[in-house]
Amino acid sequence: MLRNRRDWQSLAYILALPLLVAYLWRHPYLSLLNGLLYGVLLFLTLGTGVIHHNHAHLRMWNKRWLNRLTDFWLTLLQGHPAFVFYPAHNGNHHRYRHGPLDVARTYRFGGDTNHLLGYLLHPLQATVVLYPLIWRWLIRMQRRHAGVLNYFLRQYLAVGLLWMLLGWLDWHKFLLLVLLPQLHGLHWLLATNYLQHAHADGGSPVDFARNFEGLVNQLLFNIGFHTAHHHHPRAHWTQLPGLHQRYRHLLHPQLNPGPLLPYMFRTFILSLLWPRRSSRSLMSPGKKNAN
């Protein structure tokens, strides 16, 4: 019933995450093992965000009821409704792909930057402009498809009920094992927009996104092949490595920086000590001023 059998990896992530939370909830001891498991838990929140992203572009199952069940499962795991991807990501970011009409374009906030502070603040800034977009979309749904609106609102209700239950059971464990990891995953999910687009050219047909290779990209379902994903949004994540090769040679070399973690170290840390390692904007002054 899976559209692609490789999505067993996606299932493994979203099943392992709550099992790991349950284990740490029952064994709240300070130990090296639990510290390592908590690190795995935080990583799984990143993977779950990517799975949510992929599921919003290409439904994981051939059966509608399984896709809806997955919507609610992802909603509970992430602590926010799965439907928000449709107006905020598919309807905005993919439609305008970092151009002047993309409401969460990185150069909207404090100028065209690519540094550590911009990376840390971007999720908060993006949330401020994306949620009005989401609410306007919900209002349109109310006028056109009341049943769809009710389905989306039930996702909010599911999150609220889960939080209340877990907080009632043990609010200390809830904060540490559930809410904090969920906020970590949400921050990374929104900050990924900054990693992939900061200092890229929002007016270019190809140079609007940065692409990452390496092990982290493979563990996160090839999310780093961002140019190929934008041009083929319904391609399964297993197809992206081949599609990436079509665009790799067309991109500015700065947009093929290699593995993610070395890029982040060079751009956000090393550049503070060695300015020559700082990122350079690919947007012309005229484009920046126009936006």
Side-chain angles (χ1 to χ4, degrees), residues 95-151:
R95 184 176 183 182
Y96 302 118
R97 58 188 188 192
H98 196 52
L101 296 180
D102 185 341
V103 299
R105 58 195 182 277
T106 62
Y107 50 93
R108 178 179 184 175
F109 311 105
D112 188 18
T113 66
N114 190 13
H115 48 56
L116 180 59
L117 182 61
Y119 168 76
L120 294 175
L121 290 179
H122 182 75
L124 304 177
Q125 296 164 332
T127 299
V128 170
V129 297
L130 286 174
Y131 250 93
L133 179 73
I134 292 168
W135 286 116
R136 288 195 298 270
W137 186 78
L138 283 174
I139 291 172
R140 291 197 298 272
M141 286 293 105
Q142 182 182 20
R143 295 170 181 167
R144 301 175 187 175
H145 307 286
V148 175
L149 174 65
N150 291 333
Y151 173 66

Side-chain angles (χ1 to χ4, degrees), residues 183-227:
L183 291 175
H184 169 263
L186 180 59
H187 184 279
W188 185 88
L189 185 64
L190 292 169
T192 299
N193 184 61
Y194 194 87
L195 293 173
Q196 293 168 330
H197 294 285
H199 274 177
D201 185 353
S204 169
V206 290
D207 284 340
F208 58 83
R210 185 174 288 103
N211 296 266
F212 298 104
E213 300 167 339
L215 178 61
V216 173
N217 180 50
Q218 295 174 33
L219 293 174
L220 293 178
F221 307 94
N222 296 322
I223 191 66
F225 297 137
H226 203 56
T227 302

Side-chain angles (χ1 to χ4, degrees), residues 76-88:
L76 295 176
L77 291 181
Q78 295 190 107
H80 66 85
F83 79 84
V84 298
F85 252 101
Y86 296 109

Side-chain angles (χ1 to χ4, degrees), residues 5-286:
R5 62 181 181 179
R6 283 289 306 277
D7 274 325
W8 65 264
Q9 182 178 339
S10 304
L11 295 179
Y13 278 43
I14 62 177
L15 292 174
L17 177 56
L19 291 175
L20 194 51
V21 171
Y23 175 83
L24 292 172
W25 190 290
R26 291 178 59 84
H27 302 85
Y29 313 120
L30 290 176
S31 67
L32 177 61
L33 174 60
N34 279 10
L36 292 173
L37 291 177
Y38 194 76
V40 174
L41 170 63
L42 294 179
F43 179 80
L44 287 176
T45 64
L46 309 187
T48 300
V50 179
I51 294 165
H52 180 188
H53 165 269
N54 295 342
H55 183 62
H57 281 288
L58 180 66
R59 308 292 272 171
M60 192 182 302
W61 305 92
N62 289 314
K63 299 291 186 180
R64 182 183 181 186
W65 70 272
L66 284 171
N67 285 319
R68 291 207 162 192
L69 180 63
T70 302
D71 285 343
F72 275 94
W73 191 248
L74 292 170
T75 291
L76 295 176
L77 291 181
Q78 295 190 107
H80 66 85
F83 79 84
V84 298
F85 252 101
Y86 296 109
H89 184 75
N90 295 18
N92 170 64
H93 182 59
H94 268 264
R95 184 176 183 182
Y96 302 118
R97 58 188 188 192
H98 196 52
L101 296 180
D102 185 341
V103 299
R105 58 195 182 277
T106 62
Y107 50 93
R108 178 179 184 175
F109 311 105
D112 188 18
T113 66
N114 190 13
H115 48 56
L116 180 59
L117 182 61
Y119 168 76
L120 294 175
L121 290 179
H122 182 75
L124 304 177
Q125 296 164 332
T127 299
V128 170
V129 297
L130 286 174
Y131 250 93
L133 179 73
I134 292 168
W135 286 116
R136 288 195 298 270
W137 186 78
L138 283 174
I139 291 172
R140 291 197 298 272
M141 286 293 105
Q142 182 182 20
R143 295 170 181 167
R144 301 175 187 175
H145 307 286
V148 175
L149 174 65
N150 291 333
Y151 173 66
F152 293 154
L153 293 180
R154 286 198 295 271
Q155 295 178 11
Y156 276 112
L157 179 62
V159 171
L161 291 176
L162 178 66
W163 282 0
M164 287 190 291
L165 173 62
L166 295 179
W168 175 74
L169 289 174
D170 191 317
W171 70 269
H172 293 93
K173 293 179 182 177
F174 164 67
L175 292 177
L176 180 63
L177 299 176
V178 179
L179 187 60
L180 184 60
Q182 287 178 341
L183 291 175
H184 169 263
L186 180 59
H187 184 279
W188 185 88
L189 185 64
L190 292 169
T192 299
N193 184 61
Y194 194 87
L195 293 173
Q196 293 168 330
H197 294 285
H199 274 177
D201 185 353
S204 169
V206 290
D207 284 340
F208 58 83
R210 185 174 288 103
N211 296 266
F212 298 104
E213 300 167 339
L215 178 61
V216 173
N217 180 50
Q218 295 174 33
L219 293 174
L220 293 178
F221 307 94
N222 296 322
I223 191 66
F225 297 137
H226 203 56
T227 302
H229 169 63
H230 265 278
H231 283 285
H232 307 273
R234 287 186 56 80
H236 192 265
W237 59 269
T238 55
Q239 298 174 288
L240 291 177
L243 293 171
H244 173 64
Q245 297 306 316
R246 298 185 189 178
Y247 301 97
R248 195 180 193 282
H249 69 285
L250 301 175
L251 301 174
H252 188 284
Q254 186 172 302
L255 299 178
N256 285 314
L260 173 63
L261 295 181
Y263 163 80
M264 294 181 69
F265 176 75
R266 292 193 306 268
T267 305
F268 298 150
I269 306 299
L270 190 58
S271 63
L272 298 176
L273 305 174
W274 191 8
R276 290 181 59 188
R277 306 301 298 183
S278 299
S279 173
R280 299 289 184 266
S281 176
L282 298 182
M283 291 188 69
S284 66

